[in-house]
C-alpha cells in the first residue's frame, strides 16, 4: 500500500501520514510552550518545518511514523500520534501529543488506541513503549488507561540524552487483552 493511501478512521478522527498541508497546525502546535514542555521544547516555524519534514521522511524511510490527527467533521489538524522508532531510540514507541485546545476531550486516547492497533496488527510490533517524563501526569494517565506499566527509567539518544524519561509499555499480548475494553 502506498503511504498516501494509509488512513485510519475512528469515530471522530482521521489518522493519516503528515504532509505539507499540515504546516500551519504543526507550527502552531510546536510554538506552544505547554504542549512542547515534554517533547523537545518550543520550536520556531522554520524548526517546525524541518520537524514536519523529518516525520514525512520517516514514513518513507521506515514505512511508518506518527500520524497527523485530523478531526473528521472539520478536517482540522489537532496533533500527531502514532508509531515512532528513530535511529537509536530505546524502544518501539507509540507517542502522542495534541494541541492544547483539544486536550481533555478524549482525542488522544482515541488516536492512541488506533495507533496501538496499527503498531500490533499492521507493523507486527511485539512490544510498545511510551517514553514519558515522570512529571508528565497527563501522559502517564493516558499510558495507564491504555494498560501500560512503568518499566523504569530509559535513555533517549542525543540531543535528548539529558531528558529524564521512564519506559511505560506493554507487550503485544498484553495490548491484545487490554484493547478489548475499547472495542
Amino acid at each position: 500500500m502506498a503511504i498516501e493511501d494509509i488512513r485510519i478512521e475512528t469515530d471522530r478522527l482521521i489518522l493519516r501520514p503528515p504532509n505539507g498541508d499540515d504546516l500551519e497546525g504543526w507550527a502552531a502546535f510546536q510554538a506552544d510552550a505547554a504542549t512542547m514542555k515534554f517533547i523537545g521544547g518550543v520550536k520556531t516555524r522554520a524548526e517546525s518545518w524541518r520537524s514536519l519534514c523529518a516525520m514525512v521522511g520517516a514514513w518513507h524511510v521506515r514505512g511508518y511514523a506518527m500520524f497527523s490527527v485530523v478531526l473528521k467533521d472539520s478536517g482540522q489538524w489537532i496533533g500527531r500520534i502514532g508509531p515512532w522508532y528513530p535511529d537509536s531510540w530505546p524502544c518501539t514507541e507509540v507517542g502522542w501529543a495534541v494541541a492544547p485546545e483539544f486536550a481533555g476531550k478524549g482525542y488522544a486516547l482515541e488516536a492512541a488506541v488506533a495507533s496501538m492497533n496499527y503498531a500490533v496488527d499492521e507493523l507486527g510490533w511485539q512490544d510498545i513503549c511510551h517514553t514519558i517524563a515522570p512529571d508528565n501526569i497527563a501522559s502517564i494517565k493516558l499510558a495507564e488507561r491504555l494498560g501500560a506499566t512503568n518499566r523504569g527509567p530509559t535513555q533517549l539518544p542525543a540531543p535528548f540524552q539529558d531528558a529524564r524519561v521512564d519506559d511505560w509499555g506493554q507487550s503485544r499480548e498484553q495490548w491484545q487483552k487490554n484493547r478489548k475494553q475499547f472495542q
Side-chain angles (χ1 to χ4, degrees), residues 1-175:
M1 176 183 301
I3 291 169
E4 51 277 348
D5 295 330
I6 296 172
R7 177 184 171 107
I8 300 170
E9 290 194 29
T10 66
D11 289 342
R12 302 178 294 166
L13 305 171
I14 296 169
L15 284 68
R16 58 157 175 77
N19 62 52
D21 294 338
D22 298 333
L23 179 60
E24 293 308 318
W26 194 282
F29 167 89
Q30 291 199 321
D32 183 80
T35 300
M36 296 301 292
K37 179 178 180 180
F38 299 109
I39 54 174
V42 171
K43 305 283 185 264
T44 66
R45 184 177 175 85
E47 290 170 320
S48 293
W49 169 253
R50 289 191 293 277
S51 169
L52 173 61
C53 288
M55 196 66 69
V56 169
W59 270 97
H60 291 277
V61 171
R62 292 253 193 228
Y64 62 84
M66 288 194 185
F67 296 102
S68 277
V69 180
V70 177
L71 292 177
K72 198 185 267 189
D73 63 356
S74 68
Q76 184 173 7
W77 187 95
I78 67 165
R80 47 110 186 116
I81 295 175
W84 186 234
Y85 189 52
D87 185 59
S88 302
W89 211 250
C91 49
T92 49
E93 178 167 18
V94 168
W96 50 73
V98 296
E101 62 269 30
F102 301 101
K105 298 180 180 184
Y107 294 128
L109 175 64
E110 191 173 325
V113 167
S115 295
M116 296 282 288
N117 287 336
Y118 186 83
V120 166
D121 299 338
E122 301 299 324
L123 301 177
W125 286 5
Q126 298 301 307
D127 190 77
I128 298 173
C129 82
H130 320 290
T131 56
I132 304 174
D135 56 341
N136 187 346
I137 303 305
S139 279
I140 289 170
K141 286 181 180 180
L142 179 53
E144 289 174 333
R145 182 100 189 267
L146 294 168
T149 57
N150 188 338
R151 302 186 290 197
T154 192
Q155 181 74 44
L156 298 177
F160 308 110
Q161 71 276 5
D162 295 331
R164 187 165 167 243
V165 294
D166 290 330
D167 169 2
W168 285 81
Q170 59 190 297
S171 69
R172 171 191 190 88
E173 292 75 24
Q174 289 168 317
W175 174 246

